[in-house]
């Protein structure tokens, strides 16, 4: 799954970078989503594989906090990118005449920059506090990587400030983005229903169906995962949700977008036949 995840996302990045047909705003966002998938999967999967093969894995406290930081950062980046992609689909379907003027050449780059900055900064604020905590034992994490909840379980310091900070960040960012996505898709569905032909409705819906499938999977697990980082939180439930976010979602994303997107399928066929 890890190999397929890297290969699938690298293929999407290569296609978007080299195919003139895919040089549009939607595919620019998709390219950055693939980079975020590679980051989150590479941060987690190698250590997870070591745990599976050896039954355990030793990790230093500094590297553990670093791994948790990059997981948090990539999770925020991915959620922000999915929100930006929903806005792009809203403009393309509901405001087609204004799409080019609103989604100018610079705006997509600004939005992408904000997504990456939000992830690294917000996750950094949390893990700066965690780095100051005392970890006095036990020193075994019941997880396949250094996730936030099991990491806080090991600290003998007062972790309430981090729990409050993470919950507030999830409520403000996570719920705001979720509500934003819901509103944009309500507008999208209304616009689709106003299309007279059945073929036109199906064609329009196909441009956002892949994104909607990824959003439902990703946001559903992410909000549940980070709304309750407090002590006593079910670690088995945490591990299941973390596995979906860090392994399953990055694995399926390239296939969802490839199978549901005719432009990407055409670019793949064109590349294969031109090299054969």
């Amino acid at each position: 799954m890890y190999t397929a995840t890297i290969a699938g996302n690298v293929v999407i990045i290569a296609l978007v970078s080299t195919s003139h047909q895919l040089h549009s705003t939607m595919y620019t966002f998709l390219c950055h989503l693939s980079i975020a998938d590679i980051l989150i999967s590479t941060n987690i999967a190698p250590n997870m594989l070591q745990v599976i093969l050896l039954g355990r894995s030793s990790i230093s406290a500094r590297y553990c906090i670093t791994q948790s930081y990059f997981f948090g950062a990539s999770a925020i980046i991915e959620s922000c990118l999915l929100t930006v992609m929903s806005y792009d689909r809203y403009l393309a379907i509901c405001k087609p005449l204004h799409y080019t003027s609103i989604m100018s050449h610079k705006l997509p780059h600004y939005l992408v920059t904000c997504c990456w900055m939000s992830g690294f900064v917000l996750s950094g604020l949390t893990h700066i506090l965690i780095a100051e905590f005392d970890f006095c034992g036990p020193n075994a994490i019941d997880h396949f990587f250094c996730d936030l909840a099991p990491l806080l379980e090991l600290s003998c310091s007062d972790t309430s400030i981090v729990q409050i900070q993470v919950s507030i960040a999830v409520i403000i960012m996570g719920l705001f983005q979720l509500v934003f996505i819901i509103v944009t898709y309500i507008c999208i569905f209304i616009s689709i229903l106003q299309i007279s032909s059945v073929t036109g409705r199906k064609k329009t819906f196909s441009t956002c169906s892949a994104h909607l499938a990824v959003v439902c999977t990703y946001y559903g697990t992410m909000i549940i995962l980070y709304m309750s980082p407090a002590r006593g939180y079910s670690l088995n439930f945490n591990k299941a949700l973390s596995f979906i976010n860090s392994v399953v979602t990055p694995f399926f994303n390239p296939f969802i977008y490839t199978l549901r997107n005719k432009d990407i399928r055409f670019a793949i066929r064109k590349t294969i036949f031109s090299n054969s």
Side-chain angles (χ1 to χ4, degrees):
M1 289 180 69
Y2 175 60
T3 303
T5 298
I6 300 301
N9 284 289
V10 167
V11 167
I12 290 180
I13 295 170
L15 288 173
V16 173
S17 302
T18 58
S19 177
H20 294 290
Q21 186 180 359
L22 302 181
H23 284 178
S24 64
T25 303
M26 178 176 69
Y27 297 112
T28 298
F29 294 144
L30 179 58
C31 181
H32 282 272
L33 185 67
S34 294
I35 296 173
D37 281 337
I38 292 175
L39 175 62
I40 193 171
S41 184
T42 302
N43 183 43
I44 302 301
N47 183 248
M48 180 186 69
L49 292 171
Q50 186 178 9
V51 172
I52 293 173
L53 291 173
L54 302 180
R56 59 179 298 168
S57 175
S58 298
I59 186 172
S60 67
R62 180 176 298 177
Y63 182 77
C64 183
I65 295 175
T66 302
Q67 187 184 51
S68 178
Y69 165 73
F70 279 105
F71 176 72
S74 55
I76 295 172
I77 292 166
E78 192 149 342
S79 63
C80 291
L81 286 171
L82 290 174
T83 304
V84 168
M85 293 172 73
S86 71
Y87 177 63
D88 176 73
R89 292 298 82 208
Y90 163 77
L91 290 178
I93 296 173
C94 301
K95 307 286 184 181
L97 298 178
H98 299 89
Y99 180 82
T100 304
S101 60
I102 295 175
M103 198 62 69
S104 62
H105 178 69
K106 292 183 179 180
L107 182 58
H109 298 289
Y110 289 149
L111 293 174
V112 165
T113 301
C114 288
C115 291
W116 286 91
M117 289 292 293
S118 297
F120 288 122
V121 171
L122 290 177
S123 183
L125 294 175
T126 299
H127 288 84
I128 286 174
L129 295 175
I130 294 178
E132 300 297 324
F133 287 169
D134 294 322
F135 294 92
C136 48
N139 62 350
I141 295 180
D142 183 17
H143 212 303
F144 58 86
F145 77 103
C146 290
D147 199 3
L148 184 62
L151 184 60
L152 294 180
E153 287 285 340
L154 300 183
S155 176
C156 51
S157 302
D158 183 10
T159 61
S160 58
I161 184 172
V162 170
Q163 296 168 14
I164 293 172
Q165 182 192 39
V166 172
S167 296
I168 291 175
V170 170
I171 291 173
I172 294 176
M173 286 199 65
L175 292 185
F176 171 78
Q177 293 182 60
L178 181 61
V179 170
F180 182 85
I181 291 175
I182 292 174
V183 171
T184 57
Y185 269 99
I186 290 175
C187 296
I188 288 172
F189 289 147
I190 292 174
S191 296
I192 291 175
L193 292 175
Q194 291 175 348
I195 299 175
S196 56
S197 66
V198 176
T199 304
R201 287 197 293 267
K202 289 183 179 179
K203 183 178 180 180
T204 304
F205 181 72
S206 66
T207 63
C208 58
S209 58
H211 175 260
L212 183 60
V214 174
V215 165
C216 292
T217 303
Y218 191 83
Y219 267 97
T221 54
M222 186 58 66
I223 288 179
I224 296 173
L225 182 63
Y226 281 98
M227 278 297 289
S228 304
R231 295 180 186 274
Y233 185 69
S234 174
L235 287 183
N236 287 331
F237 188 54
N238 180 286
K239 283 186 283 188
L241 293 176
S242 298
F243 180 77
I244 293 174
N245 277 102
S246 60
V247 179
V248 177
T249 301
F251 170 74
F252 279 117
N253 279 357
F255 298 100
I256 291 175
Y257 279 104
T258 301
L259 295 175
R260 299 293 299 176
N261 192 294
K262 66 177 182 179
D263 291 335
I264 292 181
R265 294 199 304 269
F266 176 79
I268 291 175
R269 287 196 297 267
K270 183 179 179 181
T271 303
I272 292 174
F273 289 128
S274 64
N275 294 330
S276 60

